Amino acid sequence: MKKIYLLILFTATLIPAAAGAKVVDSLIFDARGSFNQEIHEGTYTPRFRAEHLNFNIAGSIAPNVSYRVRQRLHIWGDAENPFKATDYLCLYWDVNQKLRLYAGKSAALIGGYEYYTPSIDVYFYSRFCSGLDQAYVFGVNMDWYFMESQAMMLQVGNSPLSNGFKKELAYNIAWDGQFAKWWKTMWSVNFIEDSKGGMMNYLALGNHFVFGDVAVDVDFFNRAGMGQKRPLFTDYSIIGKLIWSIRNWNICGKFGYETNALDNVDADGKAYDRVIVPGAKSIYGGCGIEYFPLKNNRLRLHAIYFTDSGNKIHNVQIGLTFRFRVI
């Protein structure tokens, strides 16, 4: 609790500066809670849950120099990873209209739209995205906007396959592009060191399609360890999401398939992939509705159902999300 009080005190000291020096451009708290009903092997477990409480702040400290902070107030850091609760702690320098450099903590540069969606807007994740040791890492980044709606992004940072500030690193390159007005992309190639001394390669192909009031995301993740005999289509995830917007309502559906072949092990019998282990195979999915009574994203009600063939848990959830804009 002391950390929360210190954070609020720090925020209070910034607000006066915001009025004169434009230090703070936005200050937002957002939260999500739900009543979740879980059914597992005939056992019914109802519970109220507080799932998210986030502190978001962004601003400028000099011309072309800005910052962003997103802190989760519902979880805490620990000795191994003191910044575990921090998603973004980043300083940006816009060198010119085509080049941006930044350093600090941000999302590991792995393509795919499920991965990059803010967690407060995701009701259930794939095993791959939820199984990484850390989805947000400290590092250095470069974004090069070489054409309109086209950007190449580079990142060298801590590995998402090791927790905290270990020696393992990740080397990532991504393309944030657009083939047409109705087709956007977030593709990446990643070389990621793991805590066992190995190297994983990811090929992530995220695709976002918009057809009028219907938005569809299709993500494909291919994973392979260095030395793996069959590097393609033996360890992968396919994720699809659909949102149909009708006035104040969203009708949503999301489904995924994840698998890893049993023989994806090294000469010693150790798995190349520790996130989706060899022999794993699961189908997951769900559907639901969202309602925005204020006709904006500051208040959202949701009712959803989701399940996973791996854990065989059925969830029925009713919840509320709100965003409180201070500045």
Side-chain angles (χ1 to χ4, degrees), residues 122-261:
V122 180
Y123 301 117
F124 55 95
Y125 275 101
S126 65
R127 290 191 176 189
F128 170 63
C129 289
S130 63
L132 298 171
D133 289 296
Q134 51 183 352
Y136 300 89
V137 298
F138 280 93
V140 292
N141 297 58
M142 182 186 76
D143 295 351
W144 174 39
Y145 300 88
F146 61 94
M147 292 176 59
E148 185 178 358
S149 302
Q150 311 287 337
M152 295 297 297
M153 301 180 288
L154 302 174
Q155 181 188 62
V156 178
N158 291 328
S159 170
L161 294 178
S162 67
N163 191 31
F165 308 121
K166 305 293 180 61
K167 63 179 181 179
E168 293 81 24
L169 297 177
Y171 310 89
N172 309 314
I173 180 170
W175 172 48
D176 184 358
Q178 187 166 351
F179 282 112
K181 290 183 178 180
W182 50 271
W183 182 9
K184 294 183 179 180
T185 60
M186 175 59 78
W187 296 357
S188 74
V189 177
N190 311 90
F191 296 92
I192 299 175
E193 298 173 346
D194 64 29
S195 58
K196 303 293 184 180
M199 174 80 78
M200 287 295 296
N201 167 238
Y202 295 157
L203 174 63
L205 304 176
N207 302 274
H208 177 68
F209 304 95
V210 178
F211 307 102
D213 295 329
V214 177
V216 178
D217 291 347
V218 179
D219 293 343
F220 173 76
F221 299 97
N222 189 87
R223 300 172 292 269
M226 293 302 177
Q228 187 171 306
K229 294 180 180 179
R230 296 187 295 155
L232 294 175
F233 306 113
T234 61
D235 180 5
Y236 63 90
S237 301
I238 299 176
I239 304 164
K241 183 181 77 173
L242 180 146
I243 297 178
W244 180 19
S245 299
I246 308 173
R247 295 184 293 276
N248 296 15
W249 297 84
N250 282 343
I251 300 174
C252 314
K254 180 178 176 181
F255 300 91
Y257 174 73
E258 298 181 287
T259 186
N260 187 4

Side-chain angles (χ1 to χ4, degrees), residues 307-326:
T307 188
D308 187 327
S309 66
N311 57 31
K312 298 180 181 179
I313 297 176
H314 300 269
N315 295 272
V316 178
Q317 186 179 109
I318 300 172
L320 168 70
T321 304
F322 70 89
R323 291 174 168 87
F324 175 55
R325 185 181 299 273
V326 181

Side-chain angles (χ1 to χ4, degrees), residues 102-133:
Y102 51 106
K105 192 172 187 184
S106 61
L109 195 58
I110 300 173
Y113 283 90
E114 181 191 58
Y115 185 84
Y116 267 91
T117 302
S119 56
I120 197 170
D121 296 325
V122 180
Y123 301 117
F124 55 95
Y125 275 101
S126 65
R127 290 191 176 189
F128 170 63
C129 289
S130 63
L132 298 171
D133 289 296

